[in-house]
Amino acid sequence: MTVLAMSAAEITRFDTLMRLDRGEIRVADAMELLGLARRQVYRLLGRLRQDGASGLVSRKRGRPSNRRYSDAFRAEVATLMREHYADFGPTLAREYLAERHGIGLSCETLRRIMMEAGLWQDRAAKRPRPYQPRYRRDCRGELVQVDGSKHWWFEGRGPQCTLLVFIDDATSELMHVEMVESESTFSYMRATRTYLERHGKPVAFYTDKHSAFRNNTASAKGDGMTHLGRALDRLNIELICANSPQAKGRVERVNATLQDRLVKAMRLQRISTIDQANAFLPSYMAQHNRRFAKAPFDPRDLHRPLAIHEDLEAELVWREQRTVTGALTLHYNKAMFILEPSPASQALARKKVDVCEYPDGRLEIQHEGTALPYRMFDKMRRVNQAAVVDNKHLDAALALARTIQQVQPHHTKRNNNEPARTAQSAGVFKASSPASSGQKLDRRTLGNSRLKRGPRLSNEELVARGLGEYAR
């Protein structure tokens, strides 16, 4: 069976000619219905009898127009557009083509040529993707959206920092908020532990594709999970990463609300530090929930209590494996760790152990859950070869080096894949935060004491000192 594509006028013409062929209407009636002369009616009737319905389809369909520009001319225009006017719109490009190249085209023709060359998109392609709203989850604790909002929360009174927000999808209730220096694995571990100890384990966390939740590199090692994702998997908590900010719009919208209301509330309380903000946030969170929280569709709470064997301190760590050498040493983050000789440690030669770095800065070397005593030799803290200076410049050189070391320590970066440690209060690898220094290092002013200008001498004093030419 052949399927024909016919226009509405062609279908009407086919129906009229079939009635004429069956003798239901006269030729004069067909002429009036079709608006054609007698000769054209007989011509179409003969084509219908010979070819059937396909004989009434326009023979120009599928063929290029007789007034269409040649392919060579269209290619020439596309080349000019690509070389000279790649970022021009059709209207502006049409003016320059007529002025500089003598090519006259309509805007619509030029727009189609640009679309074929990939230099322009039609309105449908430019239209943003629609995001359909979805219903809330039914129960509290079924889905908790998590995000970090970097903002000037203290306005000009303190440094820029990040607010970690946990909001329940079913009720829009702020479950936990915490102010940290930056979004990092350790800051999320600390906030997640506080959440789990307070509310229990939700069914799932809904987050973005931050590196703390998702391994964004193509060459993922091991199981491809992040340290936080592996800890949540052991705690039987599902981790879902959204493909777009619009997908987790509930937490994005509450971030905008907090950037307005919370900033003003902390301004009235004269809060300017992270510690003061974290002490104020519980009371503000209760006030916010009274104003904006909704009742869930289902009154059940799906938070699960922690099991007896689930140790949050042991799970929420940065854990990496290292191989112990025959000399009972191992290397981690450009530092060498020497295990204390004992029967337990000597049996671990050529075996793998776990290096566990905690959010509070502690570092443990474990084997099957047992911590091993160790000593640390930091290879980055060895003294470099001294610079050769004259004795008269030695004091200035030492003062300059001491000033640089105090303001900006040398070798602040260890490994490219090391965790951000701004959330650690102390620890083996704790580095001073750039924001804590409060000033930017300017090497041009180091070691140069600037002379202060005193009051101008009077004319009598200038004359007394033999500087009368400077008197006014």
Side-chain angles (χ1 to χ4, degrees), residues 33 84 118 166 202 220 222 252 278 293 331 407 441 466:
L33 291 173
H84 304 286
F166 293 68
E252 297 290 348
N278 286 328
H331 297 267
V407 178
L441 176 62

Side-chain angles (χ1 to χ4, degrees), residues 28-227:
D29 298 332
M31 292 169 54
E32 184 179 356
L33 291 173
L34 297 177
L36 298 176
R38 180 182 295 271
R39 178 173 174 272
Q40 297 299 328
V41 171
Y42 279 111
R43 182 180 63 82
L44 293 176
L45 183 59
R47 188 181 295 176
L48 175 62
R49 291 171 178 173
Q50 179 180 354
D51 300 330
S54 60
L56 301 180
V57 177
S58 175
R59 296 183 179 181
K60 295 186 298 181
R61 186 170 300 164
R63 297 173 55 187
S65 172
N66 294 331
R67 297 187 299 172
R68 184 180 186 272
Y69 292 104
S70 64
D71 294 339
F73 177 77
R74 298 170 73 90
E76 179 186 356
V77 173
T79 302
L80 290 174
M81 291 296 303
R82 190 175 289 107
E83 292 178 355
H84 304 286
Y85 316 110
D87 57 342
F88 283 38
T91 303
L92 182 60
R94 171 179 173 270
E95 298 175 3
Y96 278 95
L97 286 176
E99 178 183 349
R100 302 180 60 184
H101 306 280
I103 299 176
L105 292 173
S106 66
C107 287
E108 181 61 22
T109 301
L110 182 58
R111 186 180 72 89
R112 291 184 177 275
I113 294 175
M114 293 174 64
M115 289 171 57
E116 293 175 359
L119 302 175
W120 190 255
Q121 290 182 334
D122 59 353
R123 187 172 298 177
K126 292 181 180 180
R127 189 177 298 118
R129 171 189 169 188
Y131 291 91
Q132 297 293 331
R134 62 171 178 84
Y135 288 109
R136 298 173 179 268
R137 307 310 300 176
D138 294 336
C139 302
R140 183 176 184 266
E142 185 176 359
L143 184 68
V144 176
Q145 297 190 18
V146 183
D147 192 26
S149 176
K150 185 178 181 180
H151 186 62
W152 290 98
W153 295 100
F154 307 126
E155 298 172 304
R157 306 182 304 277
Q160 188 179 22
C161 52
T162 301
L163 182 68
L164 303 184
V165 181
F166 293 68
I167 182 172
D168 186 76
D169 187 81
T171 63
S172 292
E173 177 186 357
L174 288 180
M175 308 298 290
H176 178 65
V177 287
E178 183 174 339
M179 196 76 70
V180 295
E181 290 188 19
S182 63
E183 270 188 289
S184 64
T185 300
F186 285 136
S187 61
Y188 272 116
M189 283 182 176
R190 189 171 59 187
T192 303
R193 178 178 179 178
T194 305
Y195 178 94
L196 297 179
E197 290 175 345
R198 182 178 302 169
H199 302 286
K201 299 186 299 181
V203 176
F205 282 129
Y206 196 39
T207 68
D208 55 10
K209 295 182 180 179
H210 190 271
S211 59
F213 307 106
R214 183 176 184 269
N215 199 328
N216 298 311
T217 58
S219 58
K221 297 181 180 179
D223 53 8
M225 302 175 67
T226 62
H227 296 273

Side-chain angles (χ1 to χ4, degrees), residues 385-442:
Q385 183 178 0
V388 179
V389 294
D390 296 333
N391 289 335
K392 59 181 180 180
H393 299 303
L394 183 60
D395 293 339
L398 291 176
L400 178 62
R402 186 166 55 251
T403 306
I404 293 176
Q405 292 170 2
Q406 291 176 354
V407 178
Q408 184 174 353
H410 190 49
H411 292 308
T412 59
K413 188 69 176 176
R414 291 180 175 268
N415 292 332
N416 292 330
N417 58 348
E418 67 171 340
R421 297 183 174 87
T422 55
Q424 292 181 344
S425 58
V428 177
F429 302 112
K430 173 63 178 176
S432 60
S433 173
S436 62
S437 60
Q439 60 180 347
K440 183 179 179 181
L441 176 62
D442 188 358

